[in-house]
Amino acid sequence: MTTELASERSSTPDSAEPVTVALVTLGCARNEVDSEELAGRLELGGFRLVDDAADAQTVVVNTCGFVEAAKKDSVDTLLEASDLKAGGTTQAVVAVGCLAERYGKDLAESLPEADAVLGFDDYPDIAGRLRSILDGEQQHPHTPQDRRRLLPISPADRDAGTIVVPGHSIAAPDLPAGAAPESGPRAVRRRLDGGPMAPLKLASGCDRRCSFCAIPSFRGSFVSRRPSDVVGEARWLGEQGVRELFLVSENSTSYGKDLGDLRLLETLLPELAAVDGVERVRVSYLQPAETRPGLVSTIADTPGVAPYFDLSFQHASARVLRRMRRFGDPDSFLGLLEQIRERAPLAGIRSNVIVGFPGETEDDLQTLCDFLEAGRLDVVGVFGYSDEDGTEAASYDGKHDDDEIRERTEHVTRLVEELTAQRAEERVGEEVVVLVESVDGETAEGRAAHQGPEVDGTTTLTGLGALADRPRTGDLVTAVVTGCDGVDLLARAEGRAA
């Protein structure tokens, strides 16, 4: 038995009544994985998970600390959960996740409504921590630190086993049924969403030093999960009814660099696509400057891997990108898009861009708009720049006022909405394979291969009544696109995918 598991189990008296706990997850798919790790640890520690926070004695809010809007959402959610303590079942509200890790005791001081603020290092004994909170013990708030300093600078010298890395934990093979695979190493994970898609962590942290981003300071240096751990968890997810694996990390193109093989992802993807029960594998968050031809070929050509490219362009002006501590320009970005479409003409391509960065000129903004018009991307997330604590860009000159940033953001958003709607129209008549996520009478909703979870639109299937074998949630269905509404598609179902 591992030391951390022994700690969890010893914290739960055999005679203790099950304590109810609800996990509220905010932010990205990486946080979803972390919440399911916490759920597995809490269940292992004797807690009973409930869906509704109002029915829980303890509410754990897995916060997001990415940008100002996400921080506000996290604080509002903690306050809403704290309101449940007034005469209800809820006895304690606990903050975990990125906002808690990033601000720790400062968050605790500014938000006394939360009963505790716990950091990543508290995750291995989360059950013990919650029990002590319920027992009225005073918790010392988490003290933030720069997690990049916890591992050596050289990726080859890193051993993620020496620190706590959320979503990477592997436990002994004697967990309760339903909480882990039937044999082999078991992920400490308990599914909170029974849908046919599940995120799966490839790696955590980031070694890049983008001037606008604080994530590496609280998520730490880049560390890959070992392929055997990733495949083992994928097999368990397949046994749980998962049909699509959504591979997540802060930088998927760096996978394997700390394990001695920067092309390890090209080897891993076919293994994951061959896992029993898994029909589709999707990779998220690729750095354009690191997206090598071999990786493009593997994603485009491997059966069972979605031809889907989530490329973090952030901008197109070479001058702005240099100030962002990034690489690229319109020509190199368009060259990468051409390379992708030569291999997979119908590939889905999405990105995010930041508008109003310090020093961004009207010419820079026009360069970005020209690139977006030429790029024909399926989805683009548009974010207005805001200062982030501790980042280099927060000290830059040439900042725009809030009104100017809002105006530029709205301008680019309008352009993107027009362009992505045009791209969706180009898919009318195209045959797509849709993963069904819900069925309602004669229609179903799901996602085609070019549509990632949550943010890339959906496909509504019609004509189910004409099929001899009506599809169910989790099925893959071939369909022909008949129309669109923005990035969302309407398609006529043809039958089950072979």
Side-chain angles (χ1 to χ4, degrees):
M1 183 183 299
T2 62
T3 301
E4 62 184 34
L5 275 179
S7 174
E8 280 182 300
R9 292 185 175 179
S10 65
S11 69
T12 310
D14 293 339
S15 61
E17 289 294 323
V19 177
T20 52
V21 59
L23 278 152
V24 180
T25 306
L26 305 173
C28 64
R30 299 185 293 274
N31 255 16
E32 293 177 26
V33 178
D34 296 350
S35 283
E36 293 194 349
E37 177 195 342
L38 291 171
R41 293 187 180 281
L42 288 167
E43 194 168 62
L44 186 65
F47 283 75
R48 180 167 64 86
L49 294 158
V50 296
D51 294 329
D52 191 342
D55 298 330
Q57 292 164 275
T58 308
V59 179
V60 178
V61 180
N62 190 353
T63 61
C64 178
F66 179 42
V67 293
E68 283 304 317
K71 296 176 197 174
K72 183 180 184 303
D73 190 26
S74 294
V75 171
D76 289 346
T77 302
L78 285 163
L79 290 172
E80 290 171 7
S82 297
D83 288 343
L84 297 174
K85 292 188 290 184
T89 302
T90 304
Q91 301 172 27
V93 173
V94 177
V96 298
C98 291
L99 190 71
E101 177 65 36
R102 184 176 180 184
Y103 292 105
K105 58 184 180 181
D106 289 340
L107 177 63
E109 290 173 1
S110 63
L111 196 70
E113 293 86 351
D115 295 278
V117 175
L118 305 180
F120 296 153
D121 291 337
D122 294 306
Y123 284 20
D125 190 27
I126 187 66
R129 295 287 191 273
L130 293 198
R131 288 191 184 280
S132 66
I133 293 165
L134 288 169
D135 288 341
E137 296 180 18
Q138 187 69 32
Q139 297 292 308
H140 181 73
H142 161 67
T143 301
Q145 60 181 320
D146 188 336
R147 295 190 74 85
R148 290 172 294 191
R149 299 175 181 173
L150 300 181
L151 290 171
I153 293 176
S154 171
D157 294 334
R158 293 173 189 164
D159 178 4
T162 63
I163 62 171
V164 174
V165 184
H168 284 225
S169 298
I170 295 296
D174 58 346
L175 298 182
E182 293 301 320
S183 62
R186 301 186 172 197
V188 184
R189 181 171 181 176
R190 197 266 205 191
R191 291 210 70 202
L192 297 172
D193 180 355
M197 184 284 299
L200 175 60
K201 273 202 178 181
L202 275 177
S204 289
C206 186
D207 289 341
R208 301 182 72 90
R209 294 295 181 264
C210 301
S211 62
F212 56 85
C213 183
I215 290 175
S217 65
F218 56 86
R219 277 291 183 178
S221 299
F222 182 88
V223 286
S224 305
R225 293 185 72 189
R226 295 196 173 277
S228 58
D229 293 345
V230 178
V231 173
E233 190 169 337
R235 288 174 179 155
W236 173 66
L237 289 169
E239 293 168 0
Q240 299 292 305
V242 171
R243 296 295 171 259
E244 178 177 311
L245 299 175
F246 185 41
L247 305 184
V248 298
S249 72
E250 276 77 22
N251 180 3
S252 296
T253 36
S254 283
Y255 180 73
K257 73 175 186 179
D258 51 324
L259 301 178
D261 186 357
L262 189 54
R263 292 174 174 79
L264 201 54
L265 186 55
E266 287 93 311
T267 304
L268 180 62
L269 285 173
E271 290 187 55
L272 293 172
V275 168
D276 286 345
V278 172
E279 301 288 347
R280 179 185 288 165
V281 179
R282 185 184 304 276
V283 186
S284 71
Y285 215 80
L286 307 173
Q287 289 290 344
E290 299 177 20
T291 303
R292 48 203 175 270
L295 181 57
V296 170
S297 299
T298 300
I299 294 175
D301 300 338
T302 304
V305 175
Y308 173 83
F309 295 82
D310 176 12
L311 297 164
S312 175
F313 288 125
Q314 302 298 352
H315 211 281
S317 163
R319 195 185 69 84
V320 172
L321 286 165
R322 283 195 298 272
R323 281 173 66 85
M324 289 180 167
R325 303 295 184 200
R326 296 179 65 83
F327 305 94
D329 54 48
D331 289 342
S332 64
F333 290 166
L334 291 173
L336 176 57
L337 297 179
E338 181 179 2
Q339 179 187 353
I340 290 169
R341 288 175 172 137
E342 284 178 354
R343 305 294 307 213
L346 303 180
I349 304 174
R350 79 169 324 275
S351 190
N352 294 313
V353 296
I354 297 173
V355 179
F357 192 78
E360 180 191 66
T361 65
E362 292 285 351
D363 286 344
D364 293 325
L365 187 66
Q366 189 59 50
T367 296
L368 173 61
C369 293
D370 291 344
F371 164 71
L372 292 173
E373 290 184 14
R376 296 173 51 244
L377 307 181
D378 290 276
V379 177
V380 181
V382 182
F383 295 88
Y385 172 81
S386 62
D387 284 341
E388 284 298 313
D389 297 335
T391 61
E392 181 183 352
S395 66
Y396 282 179
D397 58 10
K399 290 181 183 174
H400 302 286
D401 62 34
D402 291 344
D403 289 342
E404 178 66 20
I405 293 174
R406 182 168 53 254
E407 182 179 329
R408 293 187 181 200
T409 302
E410 290 173 353
H411 171 72
V412 176
T413 298
R414 287 193 297 269
L415 174 64
V416 160
E417 289 174 349
E418 179 182 346
L419 294 172
T420 54
Q422 291 173 3
R423 180 71 185 115
E425 287 177 8
E426 293 175 4
R427 294 192 181 273
V428 173
E430 180 181 316
E431 183 176 273
V432 292
V433 178
V434 178
L435 174 68
V436 176
E437 297 183 312
S438 65
V439 180
D440 183 10
E442 296 297 310
T443 64
E445 188 171 285
R447 291 176 295 103
H450 72 279
Q451 295 172 317
E454 303 294 338
V455 292
D456 290 352
T458 60
T459 298
T460 299
L461 295 172
T462 62
L464 301 189
L467 301 180
D469 189 9
R470 185 168 298 205
R472 297 171 296 179
T473 298
D475 288 341
L476 287 175
V477 175
T478 58
V480 175
V481 178
T482 57
C484 63
D485 180 8
V487 298
D488 296 323
L489 301 182
L490 186 69
R492 182 183 65 254
E494 299 286 309
R496 299 278 188 92

